[in-house]
Amino acid sequence: MNRLEFSLKRSVIFFFVFFALGISFLLAYNNYSALGVIQRQTHETFKSTLSVQESRLNDGLSSTELFLLGFLQDSADVAVLEKNEKNTSEWFFSLNRLQKKFDSAMPTQIADGYFLRFTTQELFIHGNSTIKVNLKSKLRDAIDQGLFFTEENAGKWIVLEADGSRYFARAIKNRSGFIGAWVSVDGVISELFGKESGSAVYSFADFDENLLSGEKRDGSILISVPVKNENFSIVAILDKETYQETRSLYLGVILIVAGGVAALLFTTLILLQISVLNPIKALTLAIKDLQKGNITAHVKERFNSKEFNAVKNAFNDMVKEIRQLKIGAYEEKLHHRQVEIEYLKLQSTPHFIINCLNTVYQLSEIGSKGLTRSMIRGLSSHLRYTLSSGEIVMFEQEVSQVENYIEMSSIRYPNAIKLFSDYSPEVGGCAVVPLIVLTFVENAVKYEAVLGKTLEIHVSAKMSNELVAINIWDTGEGFPDEARKIISEGHNRRHIGIKNVIQRANLVLGSASFSFSNREGAGAQVDILIPHKPI
């Protein structure tokens, strides 16, 4: 495998691997970010649910407290029990009526039961006949010990535990007695959330996150909302599976997207191989074959791209032209073997084509289709002009090809080259040999163009005593003294293009004068005088 082919494949593979890794990183990051968003949304959803139920609970507790206060104000039977002696008929009637009032109030309130406690008579009246003995004892002890009225608990519901269950209890002092209510923690949870609570377990917890009901498993997540004016919070306990289900679904979508991206990358690689790499490989192999001296080199493949087909046709035409020039009339017209050899060498040495193809490859590698097409069109025009034009062309055609060359060079050196041309229509129609201007413009670009610095190239022509005076100058560093002397004397075999154009101009046009100098305040300058021969 030749070095260029290997380099192309390696570069393409590297690009796609790098791109795939980038996509994988973006997908992983997006997955991580999305899971965080999902968790936050889930958290907010449950917190909103807890806030709604907290409001319901707060309303229920407040309603019970208002009922107790109203009961004290409106019930004359309470005053009878406080004042009359125990076991009188009036006392029994009042006790019975109070018991019925408690029982009738239970269905409309959140409380499980109500109680009256008269410390002076050691009397405890409750409105729930099924009250557990231990709970009754706990309520008595809480009243006697003043737990309802400490600084921390004053005006709040406290938590009592009896027989393994927890209860919320509230007591209000009334002269010589107390009135209050209790409600089961489990009963409140069932009332607020129902028996089926979905993917979460609901409970209550103190401010240290100690649960009042149920238990927290390892790895579970606790979401809480404080109950207004109370010493406990309403909480939701979420298992990991609640997040894992959503995560699994999202990961499935990610895998589908990743598979689609992989398929797209693979398809793109195949299309790139067919549309770009294969044509470049065929053209490069043919060019290298031509460089080895095989003037029968030929590109037979037909490509999918019009631009590559244009380059292929131009290359095949070039080889055909070279073959015809080598064995035909061109050798007889020039009558100068050295000129013929150097001219054929100039025509057959495809360095410019290789540079352009490398640029095409680099542009296709970064996906710049517009610039790739522009480069191929410019190269096709350049090859057609240099290979298909005759001995003479009009000056305006030569300038047109100079502009085409500058456009192609600007792709390699963006914003670094500016061309200025100035000539009259009379001069534009005069006869010149091909490349008489382009050769010096190419040298200016080759030796002076760099990125980050603007190179100006000026081309002008005018009539001067039946002659055409062509002036070419640039804003580069100019000719070194030794190089300018060698070029002027025509002894330098390195500048075959310059020597070739001078010899062809003299042979075809009859006479031509070339002068090389450095322009004051600028760079290199070439002055050409040729006969005025309209076409």
Side-chain angles (χ1 to χ4, degrees):
M1 182 180 293
N2 60 64
R3 184 175 180 275
L4 179 60
E5 182 182 1
F6 176 79
S7 177
L8 285 172
K9 289 187 175 180
R10 182 177 60 184
S11 300
V12 171
I13 291 173
F14 174 79
F15 170 76
F16 275 92
V17 169
F18 179 79
F19 186 73
L21 289 176
I23 290 294
S24 300
F25 173 78
L26 290 177
L27 288 174
Y29 177 77
N30 182 65
N31 183 28
Y32 176 80
S33 301
L35 288 177
V37 172
I38 292 172
Q39 289 181 346
R40 288 193 295 272
Q41 290 178 343
T42 303
H43 184 277
E44 292 301 322
T45 299
F46 278 100
K47 196 150 191 175
S48 298
T49 300
L50 293 178
S51 297
V52 172
Q53 301 305 331
E54 183 277 333
S55 179
R56 285 185 58 199
L57 175 62
N58 193 266
D59 291 343
L61 297 177
S62 299
S63 175
T64 300
E65 292 177 0
L66 291 175
F67 168 77
L68 295 176
L69 291 172
F71 190 91
L72 289 176
Q73 295 176 358
D74 299 337
S75 179
D77 292 320
V78 175
V80 171
L81 293 181
E82 286 181 321
K83 295 178 181 179
N84 293 342
E85 295 183 359
K86 190 175 181 181
N87 297 329
T88 63
S89 58
E90 186 177 5
W91 187 88
F92 276 111
F93 287 139
S94 296
L95 177 62
N96 186 53
R97 284 193 293 270
L98 287 175
Q99 187 72 49
K100 290 181 178 180
K101 287 181 179 179
F102 279 154
D103 291 340
S104 63
M106 287 180 60
T108 62
Q109 300 293 330
I110 194 173
D112 291 341
Y114 303 90
F115 64 86
L116 276 169
R117 166 74 167 152
F118 295 104
T119 54
T120 57
Q121 300 186 40
E122 288 298 322
L123 178 63
F124 188 93
I125 305 171
H126 59 85
N128 187 343
S129 58
T130 61
I131 184 173
K132 296 180 180 180
V133 175
N134 285 343
L135 175 59
K136 187 175 181 179
S137 175
K138 291 287 184 179
L139 290 170
R140 278 202 188 98
D141 292 343
I143 293 174
D144 294 341
Q145 295 172 12
L147 295 180
F148 288 102
F149 309 104
T150 65
E151 182 178 354
E152 180 183 2
N153 297 332
K156 300 177 181 179
W157 292 70
I158 67 172
V159 180
L160 298 178
E161 183 175 358
D163 298 323
S165 299
R166 286 189 172 90
Y167 301 86
F168 295 128
R170 176 80 162 91
I172 300 175
K173 193 173 187 314
N174 176 47
R175 293 190 292 275
S176 62
F178 302 87
I179 187 171
W182 75 87
V183 59
S184 167
V185 171
D186 292 334
V188 173
I189 294 173
S190 179
E191 174 69 22
L192 295 177
F193 301 101
K195 294 182 179 180
E196 297 293 335
S197 56
S199 58
V201 176
Y202 295 95
S203 182
F204 290 93
D206 58 24
F207 291 158
D208 293 326
E209 294 190 352
N210 298 312
L211 296 182
L212 304 183
S213 175
E215 59 182 14
K216 181 181 178 181
R217 292 188 293 182
D218 292 339
S220 57
I221 300 172
L222 194 71
I223 302 174
S224 63
V225 171
V227 179
K228 185 179 180 181
N229 300 325
E230 303 297 341
N231 292 331
F232 50 86
S233 301
I234 184 170
V235 299
I237 306 168
L238 278 69
D239 291 334
K240 286 183 178 179
E241 288 75 10
T242 303
Y243 291 114
Q244 292 292 342
E245 291 177 2
T246 304
R247 180 179 179 181
S248 298
L249 178 62
Y250 187 77
L251 285 176
V253 176
I254 291 295
L255 290 176
I256 293 174
V257 173
V261 171
L264 181 62
L265 287 175
F266 182 73
T267 303
T268 303
L269 181 59
I270 294 176
L271 292 176
L272 184 62
Q273 178 75 28
I274 296 173
S275 302
V276 178
L277 296 181
N278 287 346
I280 290 178
K281 177 182 177 182
L283 290 168
T284 302
L285 291 176
I287 290 171
K288 288 189 173 292
D289 197 17
L290 179 63
Q291 284 182 310
K292 293 177 182 179
N294 181 12
I295 62 173
T296 62
H298 189 75
V299 181
K300 299 179 180 180
E301 293 87 345
R302 179 169 180 80
F303 308 128
N304 295 327
S305 169
K306 293 191 300 183
E307 290 79 9
F308 275 118
N309 279 322
V311 174
K312 179 199 73 172
N313 293 334
F315 176 82
N316 290 338
D317 290 343
M318 178 189 73
V319 175
K320 183 179 179 181
E321 182 80 12
I322 291 172
R323 187 164 58 248
Q324 291 174 349
L325 289 174
K326 188 170 183 179
I327 64 177
Y330 188 77
E331 291 179 335
E332 297 176 1
K333 289 183 180 180
L334 292 180
H335 298 295
H336 196 294
R337 183 173 180 79
Q338 185 62 37
V339 174
E340 294 168 355
I341 294 174
E342 291 179 351
Y343 181 71
L344 290 173
K345 183 178 179 181
L346 173 65
Q347 296 296 320
S348 62
T349 304
H351 295 300
F352 180 74
I353 302 174
I354 292 176
N355 289 336
C356 290
L357 288 176
N358 283 336
T359 302
V360 170
Y361 163 67
Q362 293 169 2
L363 293 173
S364 65
E365 189 177 33
I366 64 175
S368 183
K369 295 182 179 179
L371 291 178
T372 302
R373 293 192 184 98
S374 298
M375 191 69 179
I376 294 174
R377 282 196 298 267
L379 176 58
S380 299
S381 176
H382 182 84
L383 290 174
R384 188 174 293 109
Y385 177 77
T386 57
L387 299 176
S388 302
S389 58
E391 290 184 346
I392 58 172
V393 295
M394 289 191 296
F395 180 79
E396 62 184 12
Q397 290 179 294
E398 176 73 6
V399 174
S400 177
Q401 287 307 310
V402 170
E403 293 172 348
N404 177 65
Y405 174 80
I406 293 299
E407 289 179 2
M408 288 190 293
S409 299
S410 295
I411 295 176
R412 298 181 61 195
Y413 303 98
N415 302 318
I417 308 172
K418 290 185 178 180
L419 175 67
F420 301 88
S421 60
D422 180 23
Y423 59 92
S424 65
E426 181 182 9
V427 174
C430 75
V432 296
V433 293
L435 310 181
I436 193 170
V437 176
L438 183 56
T439 298
F440 301 103
V441 171
E442 286 180 352
N443 277 352
V445 172
K446 178 180 179 181
Y447 293 104
E448 302 293 351
V450 292
L451 290 173
K453 180 180 178 181
T454 301
L455 172 67
E456 293 183 6
I457 301 175
H458 296 257
V459 177
S460 62
K462 62 181 179 178
M463 294 297 300
S464 176
N465 299 325
E466 300 301 319
L467 296 176
V468 177
I470 303 173
N471 177 253
I472 307 165
W473 63 277
D474 60 58
T475 57
E477 298 296 328
F479 294 113
D481 291 338
E482 182 178 356
R484 181 167 57 84
K485 180 179 179 181
I486 293 174
I487 294 172
S488 298
E489 295 175 355
H491 299 314
N492 186 10
R493 298 185 60 83
R494 293 181 57 191
H495 298 277
I496 296 174
I498 295 176
K499 183 178 179 181
N500 178 277
V501 76
I502 293 173
Q503 291 178 342
R504 285 189 297 110
N506 281 283
L507 286 171
V508 175
L509 301 177
S511 64
S513 170
F514 291 78
S515 174
F516 303 89
S517 62
N518 289 325
R519 189 182 182 91
E520 183 177 355
Q525 177 170 303
V526 180
D527 292 292
I528 306 171
L529 284 174
I530 59 175
H532 179 246
K533 296 182 179 181
I535 297 180

